[in-house]
Amino acid sequence: MARPPLPAAAPLAFLLLVLVLSAVAPAARCSTAGVGYVSRLLEIQDRERAPATVQLAAARGALRRLLPSRYSSFEFRIISKDECGGEICFVITNHPSFGRRGAPEILISGVTGVEVLAGLHWYLKYWCGSHISWDKTGGLQTYSMPKFGSLPRVHDAGVIVQRPIPWSYYQNAVSSSYSFAWWDWKRWEKEIDWMALQGINLPLAFTGQEAIWQKVFQQKFNISTSNLDDFFGGPAFLAWSRMGNLHGWGGPLPQSWLDQQLRLQKKILERMYELGMTPVLPAFSGNVPAALKDIFPSAKITRLGNWFSVESNPRWCCTYLLDATDPLFVEIGRAFIEQQLREYGRTGHIYNCDTFDENTPPIDEPAYISSLGAAIFEGMQSGDADAVWLMQGWLFSYDPFWRPPQMKALLHSVPLGKLVVLDLFAEVKPIWMTSEQFYGVPYIWKVSFLCMLHNFAGNIEMYGVLDAVASGPIEAYMSENSTMVGVGMSMEGIEQNPVVYDLMSEMAFQQRKVDVKTWIDLYSTRRYGQSVSSIKEAWNILHHTIYNCTDGLYDKNRDVIVAFPDADPSSISFSQLRYHRYGKPLFRGAVLNEKTGLTDEPHMWYSTSEVVRALELFLAGGDQLQSSDTYRYDLVDLTRQALAKFANELFLKVIEDYQRQDAYGVAFHSQKFLNLVEDMDTLLACHEGFLLGPWLESAKQLAQNKEQERQFEWNARTQITMWFDNSVEEASLLRDYGNKYWSGLLRDYYGPRAALYFKFLKESLAEGHDFRLKEWRREWVKLTNDWQNSRNLFPTQSVGHAFHTSQWLYDKYLRDPDTYDQ
């Protein structure tokens, strides 16, 4: 990959960025053994790709939506791999008409429409100093772009940037529920544009599959509508009914939903194919309706165990799995693939199936496991002779069942090159290193933004492992006998931590490790449109604190505000952090007594005092950056992060006061905590990226009538609070799993819940009895269920001034927390 030179007039900062970011020469090897294994599929996909005219039209459509005023400044062209040295690439050159009034200035060529738009993004980043992120995280920054007619020239010879490996993967199986559940075509179109600009060419495409299953099960296997109503989950819980974790929860799905989602999927696939992407379609994993066992009584169908249901309620617990060795498995698998082909008209030949994700095989005999894998693949191949199985490698990370013999048996159960594994948590716990490159099977190195497993459930938490992102894919790619075929991002929820995604998307085109220090210096300049010294210093701190988590733990956000402890306060103990502020020890959080059942404590991996210092520096740059939406988003997020950790400390002061039987201290500190929750709600209201209203309103907008509106809103509210079922006295085992720092949610739910707990604390001390845990749980559950069923409205537009509110809260809580505590 040639380094992209800049014109003499380019800012020195960007020149330094380019010198460090982009290697001067390509890596010694332009492919891996894994690429060779999937070469036949790559050839098929090249032959079947949309015509160049179609791809160019789709790319120009994205350009018009992105930069309508600069539309005529760029010309696009589709080129062959031969013009890229036999690899996949994009090329940036000065347009032959550069300088002529009204003529295009820059010519961007690429092997597909994706490469063309990735090349556009590259040019905008490294010649124009622009930045692209999701709208909710600040959106597009083009303040730094030169005026029309004076775009920066590139070197006369042009710039060529090759992909070292062919695929850039995107999404997680549950992103469809945590982030995409309520999207319409307008939002999907914007996301597909974003994907292409990031170079993503292998996205999951799971929308609308219930309509396909309805046709397959009704027409081929005589399953009734009522039985399918029990089989499918509700709109916010489809990911888990697809995986066989639950059934019926949040349902039934209206026919209008099924039809609308299928129409939406066809639009999604059409645009992905037009841009040259390869959408990954679902395949049959063995999850079947309960009624199938009655229609086929001799079939090997097993009822699975309880998955996080409080009372194993059969209304939604304990789904049914068809054994892959049963002949019916291949029949259903073939029918599902064929029905998709009839509906969509084409396929990219890659299918996702995760039969064993949270479903451990009943026997650990390698021969049996091999037969399971072979049967699963046969179900795909019988419907598509060119099928390739894409499988998440998460099971190898968490389930001790998968020892080397069992792992080898599954991975070697299909022909080489017909199975690709996603190394799901590669930025923290790479499986490729401990499994001899997945025992020779092609794999994709993934930053898993499940909370890295970056983002669990779309929780809002500043977190990352930037150094690992900047080096891990290169180490895997350059390792001996590498079978790596791609990089990818698979967060459970999107629209958070834009810095991590900005860097990770680049790794699809990098052939050398990135110097993160230099990269992040220029990231702040690109993100805000100008270079501000205090902001650069702040980002340097964030790089070495929040974005340098090396403890290997999953970052599931369990801050007290959003994941309130369900425990008797007398049983909570404390552990001290190794970090100190102003010479005083900070407390990590609740450490569980085994009797309490409380297993979640806030994850702390950095010095909070350093992060408060970064916030001070952010505020110092506010005079210059207040008009920047990207700055406002980051300022609100950083202030929220600092205040959330302060709230954890404040809660522990309440517990400490209670254990000392200090009634005044409990009253004093609990009120401080509740005031802080209210103030944080005010802060979050200052930016559209932190609002509850859009989530609820987008759910209701998909409804066809009032009944659906109530159902969809209940789904949306339940996913972010109780999540799953509860009894009168026992909260859901998945409570707060989908927690969010959203304005409206803090003021309307999290605050009242905390107030309820504090009420029981004060009553315990005033009346001289133990904390009434059962009564607290009963009232908490009722509060939550009432909130799930409520219909009150929340703003969908931001209010308030982000900078002034952040400054006010910094002065009130963080400048001198000891003074606030008095």
Side-chain angles (χ1 to χ4, degrees):
M1 177 179 66
R3 69 173 177 87
L6 293 176
L12 178 60
F14 286 103
L15 180 59
L16 289 174
L17 171 75
V18 171
L19 289 173
V20 176
L21 183 80
S22 303
V24 174
R29 170 158 48 88
C30 291
S31 64
T32 65
V35 175
Y37 299 150
V38 297
S39 59
R40 181 177 178 275
L41 174 63
L42 293 172
E43 291 170 2
I44 293 171
Q45 291 175 338
D46 286 344
R47 287 199 306 269
E48 296 180 352
R49 219 175 297 282
T53 54
V54 173
Q55 294 186 60
L56 287 174
R60 292 204 66 82
L63 171 61
R64 187 183 294 277
R65 288 184 292 274
L66 182 73
L67 298 171
S69 65
R70 307 298 179 92
Y71 178 77
S72 60
S73 297
F74 298 91
E75 184 174 316
F76 294 160
R77 187 168 67 101
I78 299 295
I79 58 177
S80 69
K81 288 183 179 179
D82 291 340
E83 295 177 73
C84 296
E87 303 296 330
I88 303 172
C89 81
F90 60 78
V91 180
I92 307 170
T93 57
N94 301 315
H95 195 277
S97 302
F98 194 109
R100 189 183 306 163
R101 185 179 179 85
E105 300 173 75
I106 298 297
L107 173 63
I108 301 177
S109 308
V111 170
T112 73
V114 171
E115 275 71 47
V116 167
L117 288 174
L120 171 67
H121 188 194
W122 199 271
Y123 176 79
L124 293 176
K125 288 171 76 168
Y126 295 128
W127 276 264
C128 301
S130 298
H131 176 77
I132 298 171
S133 66
W134 292 293
D135 285 353
K136 284 190 175 181
T137 61
L140 178 66
Q141 186 288 110
T142 56
Y143 173 82
S144 59
M145 283 191 72
K147 64 181 181 179
F148 180 79
S150 57
L151 290 181
R153 294 175 63 89
V154 300
H155 192 277
D156 289 344
V159 178
I160 181 171
V161 177
Q162 295 177 338
R163 287 186 187 268
I165 41 182
W167 287 325
S168 180
Y169 174 88
Y170 181 60
Q171 295 180 40
N172 183 285
V174 300
S175 306
S176 57
S177 290
Y178 283 130
S179 290
F180 312 152
W182 314 115
W183 283 7
D184 57 12
W185 169 241
K186 182 179 179 181
R187 180 61 187 87
W188 262 112
E189 183 175 53
K190 186 176 287 287
E191 188 71 7
I192 296 170
D193 288 350
W194 181 90
M195 292 182 204
L197 289 160
Q198 308 301 325
I200 292 162
N201 58 10
L202 191 67
L204 283 185
F206 276 14
T207 302
Q209 62 179 278
E210 283 69 31
I212 304 291
W213 279 120
Q214 182 187 50
K215 294 179 181 183
V216 169
F217 280 130
Q218 286 185 340
Q219 297 173 9
K220 301 284 187 181
F221 302 98
N222 300 316
I223 302 295
S224 68
T225 298
S226 61
N227 286 326
L228 287 178
D229 285 346
D230 176 66
F231 179 57
F232 298 137
F237 300 97
L238 288 175
W240 300 276
S241 65
R242 292 167 182 169
M243 292 189 289
N245 302 136
L246 53 81
H247 65 95
W249 181 250
L253 290 177
Q255 187 62 45
S256 59
W257 170 275
L258 295 168
D259 296 341
Q260 180 270 339
Q261 290 291 293
L262 182 58
R263 290 193 298 270
L264 180 60
Q265 170 75 337
K266 289 179 179 180
K267 286 187 175 181
I268 292 168
L269 291 176
E270 182 180 18
R271 181 58 53 79
M272 288 178 173
Y273 286 130
E274 287 174 350
L275 285 167
M277 295 179 180
T278 300
V280 177
L281 296 175
F284 178 52
S285 65
N287 180 34
V288 295
L292 198 74
K293 68 184 188 308
D294 298 322
I295 298 172
F296 297 92
S298 62
K300 291 187 282 186
I301 299 175
T302 303
R303 190 182 187 202
L304 300 177
N306 182 24
W307 186 84
F308 293 110
S309 173
V310 167
E311 295 180 328
S312 299
N313 191 323
R315 290 175 59 193
W316 35 75
C317 162
C318 310
T319 58
Y320 290 85
L321 185 70
L322 175 63
D323 193 298
T325 61
D326 191 293
L328 187 60
F329 189 102
V330 173
E331 188 178 346
I332 295 175
R334 178 174 61 251
F336 183 56
I337 297 293
E338 289 176 345
Q339 186 64 38
Q340 289 187 93
L341 292 176
R342 278 192 292 272
E343 291 287 344
Y344 306 145
R346 62 173 298 180
T347 174
H349 307 293
I350 301 182
Y351 303 92
N352 173 247
C353 177
D354 294 303
T355 298
F356 309 114
D357 190 10
E358 303 194 31
N359 291 318
T360 302
I363 303 171
D364 68 357
E365 172 59 42
Y368 172 73
I369 293 172
S370 181
S371 68
L372 289 179
I376 292 169
F377 178 65
E378 186 182 353
M380 301 177 205
Q381 194 175 41
S382 62
D384 179 357
D386 296 315
V388 169
W389 177 6
L390 183 73
M391 181 183 74
Q392 291 188 127
W394 178 235
L395 68 167
F396 303 133
S397 177
Y398 79 90
D399 191 342
F401 173 91
W402 295 100
R403 303 179 301 279
Q406 288 72 30
M407 190 174 172
K408 287 180 183 178
L410 179 60
L411 295 176
H412 293 167
S413 63
V414 301
L416 188 62
K418 290 292 187 176
L419 174 64
V420 176
V421 182
L422 303 174
D423 196 355
L424 205 65
F425 201 16
E427 81 286 356
V428 173
K429 191 177 180 181
I431 301 299
W432 70 268
M433 285 186 174
T434 58
S435 63
E436 301 171 24
Q437 305 270 355
F438 286 95
Y439 303 110
V441 171
Y443 71 94
I444 292 176
W445 194 102
K446 293 176 66 183
V447 172
S448 321
F449 295 131
L450 296 165
C451 238
M452 219 134 149
L453 248 165
H454 181 247
N455 187 276
F456 283 102
N459 296 161
I460 296 173
E461 170 91 301
M462 294 179 71
Y463 165 83
V465 196
L466 291 182
D467 289 346
V469 171
S471 60
I474 307 303
E475 291 172 354
Y477 164 69
M478 296 299 294
S479 62
E480 187 176 1
N481 300 319
S482 176
T483 56
M484 182 178 172
V485 294
V487 297
M489 303 181 284
S490 93
M491 52 281 161
E492 283 193 3
I494 65 168
E495 298 172 326
Q496 37 74 33
N497 288 287
V499 63
V500 180
Y501 298 89
D502 194 297
L503 177 58
M504 186 59 217
S505 66
E506 278 195 13
M507 300 312 295
F509 298 97
Q510 292 291 354
Q511 300 189 25
R512 293 285 187 270
K513 294 180 181 181
V514 172
D515 183 315
V516 180
K517 170 63 172 65
T518 303
W519 185 91
I520 210 161
D521 277 350
L522 274 300
Y523 170 82
S524 66
T525 303
R526 289 191 294 106
R527 182 150 170 82
Y528 310 127
Q530 56 182 302
S531 178
V532 179
S533 59
S534 66
I535 298 296
K536 283 189 176 183
E537 187 179 348
W539 270 105
N540 187 55
I541 293 172
L542 295 178
H543 169 210
H544 291 101
T545 53
I546 284 175
Y547 291 111
N548 187 38
C549 182
T550 58
D551 61 13
L553 300 178
Y554 306 151
D555 187 60
K556 181 77 184 74
N557 192 332
R558 307 311 292 177
D559 287 337
V560 172
I561 290 177
V562 296
F564 205 82
D566 176 25
D568 187 318
S570 299
S571 67
I572 297 176
S573 59
F574 309 102
S575 68
Q576 289 186 343
L577 278 177
R578 60 185 179 275
Y579 301 123
H580 296 73
R581 178 167 63 206
Y582 311 122
K584 293 185 65 176
L586 301 179
F587 290 104
R588 176 171 191 169
V591 176
L592 238 60
N593 182 303
E594 292 181 3
K595 297 180 180 179
T596 67
L598 174 65
T599 56
D600 297 321
E601 60 178 286
H603 180 201
M604 279 301 301
W605 64 96
Y606 60 84
S607 164
T608 55
S609 61
E610 289 188 69
V611 171
V612 170
R613 173 58 182 158
L615 176 58
E616 293 171 354
L617 292 165
F618 251 82
L619 289 167
D623 288 342
Q624 297 169 262
L625 298 177
Q626 289 183 46
S627 62
S628 164
D629 195 37
T630 46
Y631 169 77
R632 289 195 299 270
Y633 174 87
D634 289 346
L635 178 62
V636 170
D637 202 20
L638 182 55
T639 308
R640 176 210 54 77
Q641 183 83 10
L643 291 174
K645 305 313 172 188
F646 180 72
N648 294 340
E649 299 175 43
L650 201 52
F651 172 77
L652 291 178
K653 291 180 186 294
V654 176
I655 300 303
E656 200 171 28
D657 291 333
Y658 176 83
Q659 292 179 357
R660 292 200 305 254
Q661 298 188 29
D662 179 357
Y664 173 80
V666 168
F668 178 82
H669 286 117
S670 62
Q671 188 57 51
K672 296 290 188 185
F673 183 94
L674 296 176
N675 291 344
L676 176 56
V677 173
E678 288 277 326
D679 289 343
M680 288 182 68
D681 194 275
T682 300
L683 168 73
L684 297 170
C686 294
H687 196 280
E688 282 82 358
F690 302 97
L691 301 181
L692 169 63
W695 172 252
L696 299 182
E697 292 306 311
S698 61
K700 291 188 286 185
Q701 286 172 9
L702 293 183
Q704 301 293 311
N705 52 51
K706 292 297 182 182
E707 182 181 354
Q708 289 182 19
E709 189 175 290
R710 284 191 294 272
Q711 179 192 6
F712 294 179
E713 183 172 0
W714 182 91
N715 269 254
R717 286 172 175 262
T718 297
Q719 190 202 90
I720 59 177
T721 52
M722 198 63 85
W723 206 107
F724 206 11
D725 67 339
N726 58 263
S727 67
V728 174
E729 293 185 354
E730 187 174 357
S732 166
L733 300 176
L734 292 173
R735 62 189 180 274
D736 294 325
Y737 187 88
N739 69 68
K740 303 289 189 297
Y741 275 106
W742 281 345
S743 177
L745 193 56
L746 271 72
R747 189 183 304 272
D748 207 52
Y749 176 66
Y750 293 142
R753 176 175 63 177
L756 187 63
Y757 188 83
F758 295 149
K759 182 192 79 170
F760 278 91
L761 286 179
K762 289 182 278 191
E763 286 179 358
S764 170
L765 293 178
E767 298 171 13
H769 57 67
D770 291 340
F771 182 83
R772 290 174 174 167
L773 187 61
K774 286 187 177 180
E775 286 78 2
W776 137 252
R777 285 174 174 163
R778 186 181 295 114
E779 291 199 29
W780 164 34
V781 168
K782 182 180 184 304
L783 171 77
T784 307
N785 292 162
D786 288 346
W787 193 87
Q788 291 167 263
N789 288 294
S790 61
R791 303 297 306 281
N792 46 326
L793 300 176
F794 297 91
T796 57
Q797 299 293 323
S798 64
V799 294
H801 194 286
F803 177 76
H804 292 157
T805 304
S806 293
Q807 183 70 66
W808 164 59
L809 293 177
Y810 166 78
D811 291 339
K812 183 175 180 179
Y813 293 104
L814 301 170
R815 183 184 294 275
D816 188 352
D818 295 335
T819 300
Y820 174 78
D821 192 38
Q822 294 173 0

